[in-house]
Every structure is written in C-alpha cells, then in structure tokens.
Amino acid sequence: MSKRDFLTLKDYTAEEIRLLIDDAILLKRLRQKGRAVLPFLSGFNVALIFEKPSTRTRASFSVAVYELGGLPITYSAQELQLSRGEPVRDVARVLSRYHHAIAARVFRHSDLEELARFSRVPVINMLSDLYHPLQALADYMTIKEKKGRVDGVRVAFIGDGRDNVFNSLAIAGVKLGARIRVASPKAYEPDPEVLGDDVYSKIEIYEDPAEAVRDVDVVYTDVFVSMGQEKEREERLKAFLPRYQVNSDLLKKVGRDDYIVMHCLPAHRGEEITDDVIESGNSVVFDQAENRLHTSKAVLLYLLNPHWSRSL
Ligand code: CP
Ligand code: NVA
C-alpha cells in the first residue's frame, strides 16, 4: 500500500499546494461561521513527537486533529525510548501500527526521512533543521489573503539563507510563482543542495538587505539563532547584527507603503526584528500564526481523507 508523506514540499506539485491553500481558506471560513468541528477524521489518532519546544505547531496541530474529530497524542522525545537509544526505524514501525499518521519535530532531517521510510502511515514534518513546510503553507495562505494572489508576488527574506523556514518559503514560493529574494551575509547564503537546483536557480541572492527589499510586497524574517544552534549564538549575532535587522530604517527602503511584514514566530525582538515593526500596521504575524491551524487541517485531510469536501 503506498502512502504519502509531507516532508519538504519538493514532491508536491504547484496544483497540490494551491489546493491545500484553497482548502485551508475554506476551512477557515467554515470555522468562522461556527463550523469548527468537522468530523472528517473521526476514529483517527495522530502521534505528535517533539524533540524541540513548540507553541504554534503543537497547539495548532493538536486543535486541528481534535476539530476534525480525531485524537492527537503528544510525545516529547525525552519520554520515548528514543531518548534511550531505540532506533528511529523501530519507533516508526511500532507507532505506525497504532496511529494513522505520525507528525514529528526533529533536530536532524535525516531522522524524519528514516521515520517516513519505515512508517506504514503518513509522516508529517513539524520542523526539522532543514525544512518547515507546514509554516510555508500558512505563509502563502496569508500572502494570498493579504495580497489577493501569490503568483508574481515579490518576497524578500532577510537573515539566515540556510534557515529552515526560508528553505521551505523558497521551495513553495518558486512552485507558486512568487519571486523570492534573500539577503544574507556571504557565509549564510542559501544551500543549493538543500533547496534543489531548480529552486536555487530561480531565487535572487543579495548581500545588501536594502537592495533586497526594494519594491517588494513581503518582507520576511526569522530568528538568527535557530533551535539547536545555541552554541553558535555569539558568532551568528556578530554576522547578522546590526545590518540584517528588519527595522523601520530598512523598511523605508521598500519605497512603498503596502508591503506586509511576516515572521513565523517566536520572534526575538531587538535581534532580527524590532518591537515597533512587529507591532506596526504592516505586520501580519498573528494572522500568519492563526493560519497554521487551517493549513494543518488541510494537510491532515489531504493525507488521510482527501475526498472530504464532497460530503460537506
Ligand atoms: N512557527 C512555529 O513553528 O512556531 P513554534 O516553534 O512555536 O511551533
Ligand atoms: N528557524 C527557527 C524556526 C522556529 C519556528 C528554528 O528552527 O528555531
């Protein structure tokens, strides 16, 4: 029996990604009309494994499973035998006999690949060191809501060009026809192997953030020190600050007023973004965070009950 995973979005077509976004928009509308609970996953249970902390992903994914009539079961990696050396492949083979899907947030993307290889049921990436595809879906849903389209929208990511959130933003964005720019210090430029040559060849790489933001629709940033990189904190802050901070001076360089500011959150105010920018009228970060709920539902339904909307 073949099953589909959700690991990087590289193996999803533009049509599939558009469908996921449109489904999420529909699910959001239904929820706003009072139809939050739609039991299309009644009788299903989903494992949520966390090797790292999470606020948005854990909350939105748990609520998504619950509102679809299923049962989310959360495991912190320390509570599992994983922490005592049980091989990932054994965990995959055991958990996939109980659960209908396994979602995991991991340090090493290769662990997620192994989980997927040995699991009988779909495996969903809730963030790895390399990718954050659930975030990218919510990001383009938000862009579609705010800008009316994704195709042709200019997005400038300022910061770490090897960041997991950036990688997924670029992979999904290129497929959807967005024009992706990234500004980072030379040592933190995007990795062609992680993005894939087709994506890498279509993004514009800058060193100067002021040049990258000129005339864009979206300015996006993420932390300079991701989970798992704490030991590099000093070196990273030295490389990124003050030049790559998204602040009001940098935003003046956009040269127009109708841009939006995005951040996957959590934000380190005063590092990659300033307090006034995140609180400004251009910031859409909380709508972006809300959309994690609707897009997570769309992914779960696509993998587990793809014909759900026929019986609405
Ligand atoms: N954006 C995001 O994934 O947030 P959490 O780390 O809080 O889940
Ligand atoms: N790049 C960040 C994203 C957190 C949602 C990290 O990996 O810590």
Side-chain angles (χ1 to χ4, degrees), residues 241-253:
L241 286 172
R243 196 176 184 200
Y244 294 90
Q245 183 183 71
V246 173
N247 54 36
S248 51
D249 281 342
L250 178 64
L251 291 172
K252 281 187 200 128
K253 310 285 187 202

Side-chain angles (χ1 to χ4, degrees), residues 52 105 127-128 132 163-165 222-223 225-227 264-266:
K52 303 176 183 178
R105 168 168 286 199
L127 180 146
S128 68
H132 198 3
D163 178 81
N164 43 13
V165 168
D222 184 16
V223 292
V225 186
S226 282
M227 292 180 278
C264 58
L265 303 180

